[in-house]
Amino acid sequence: MKVSASFLSSKDVVKDIVKLNETDVDYIHVDVLDGKFAPNKSLPFSELKYIYKYTSKRLDVHLMVVNPAKYIPLYASLNTEYIVFQLEVDEDIEEDLKLIKKYSIKAGLAIKPDTKVNELIPYLPYLDIILIMSVEPGFGGQEFLVETEAKLEEVRDLLDTYKVNAVISVDGGINDKTVGMCKNASMVVAGSYIVGSDDFQEKITSLR
Ligand code: DX5
Ligand code: ZN
């Protein structure tokens, strides 16, 4: 299992990013919130861009914003492996996925807990990653929604049916217990479980 660490609930972001750099975590998960798509706002890019100088890990960017096209070029300028945005936005999704790929960055869509898996079908040819949200977008520290387990099985079936080789990632409420419900995923995003502990590496290892 790949592990992507979210610092959304970090009290000292720089300190935690430095600590994460000493672990074998695969990616740093960057939650970008504009305060419109979900009821929370993250730091602006102009402040956050300095933070990434403290890590050599690649970034896994999760845009929870109403206008991804505005943010894609900014995050494409960093050491970014994935840019994922929400399927529920009112923009030309295909165009936004193509824009990410123009920067040679892997592209993906995230879906909220109430969004149906089959809404992904029109975009499957463009997807390198699918992010299944196991909490409502906005805040770290929420409880994993158990219905996610069945949803992940649906995603796996969909990818098999359409012969698509995308990474399935799960975001929200991940810990050493809930990761057991993510067998159909190959990546998990964990925030408070890691950054709220004294031993980051031990928590990361428990998710593998
Ligand atoms: C929620 C974010 C998540 C969140 C995960 O909107 O997308 O990435 O920070 O945090 P935990 O692991 O605490 O649920
Ligand atoms: Zn996220």
Side-chain angles (χ1 to χ4, degrees), residues 72-184:
I72 290 165
L74 302 177
Y75 286 90
S77 70
L78 303 174
N79 183 22
T80 301
E81 176 95 6
Y82 296 105
I83 298 181
V84 173
F85 64 94
Q86 294 287 147
L87 173 83
E88 300 85 3
V89 296
D90 193 16
E91 267 196 359
D92 187 333
I93 291 186
E94 207 176 302
E95 281 306 308
D96 287 352
L97 290 168
K98 284 185 189 160
L99 177 62
I100 298 170
K101 286 178 172 278
K102 237 169 54 190
Y103 292 101
S104 303
I105 290 172
K106 293 175 186 155
L109 284 171
I111 59 172
K112 295 207 278 187
D114 288 340
T115 303
K116 298 274 174 285
V117 165
N118 58 19
E119 291 192 39
L120 291 162
I121 293 173
Y123 312 109
L124 288 177
Y126 302 102
L127 299 180
D128 299 300
I129 186 165
I130 293 170
L131 184 66
I132 301 301
M133 296 234 38
S134 38
V135 298
E136 288 299 334
F139 299 92
Q142 302 179 73
E143 211 168 302
F144 182 90
L145 296 165
V146 291
E147 51 270 34
T148 308
E149 185 171 20
K151 199 169 184 182
L152 290 170
E153 207 174 318
E154 271 182 68
V155 183
R156 172 56 58 211
D157 288 346
L158 190 80
L159 295 187
D160 289 349
T161 308
Y162 286 85
K163 299 194 172 40
V164 170
N165 190 17
V167 168
I168 303 176
S169 182
V170 193
D171 185 9
I174 298 293
N175 57 40
D176 55 342
K177 307 209 168 46
T178 56
V179 72
M181 288 184 259
C182 302
K183 293 196 178 67
N184 281 301

Side-chain angles (χ1 to χ4, degrees), residues 6 8 29 31 62 64 133 137-142 171-173 189-192:
S6 159
L8 186 62
H29 182 85
D31 287 305
H62 179 193
M64 288 165 281
M133 296 234 38
F139 299 92
Q142 302 179 73
D171 185 9
V189 177
S192 48

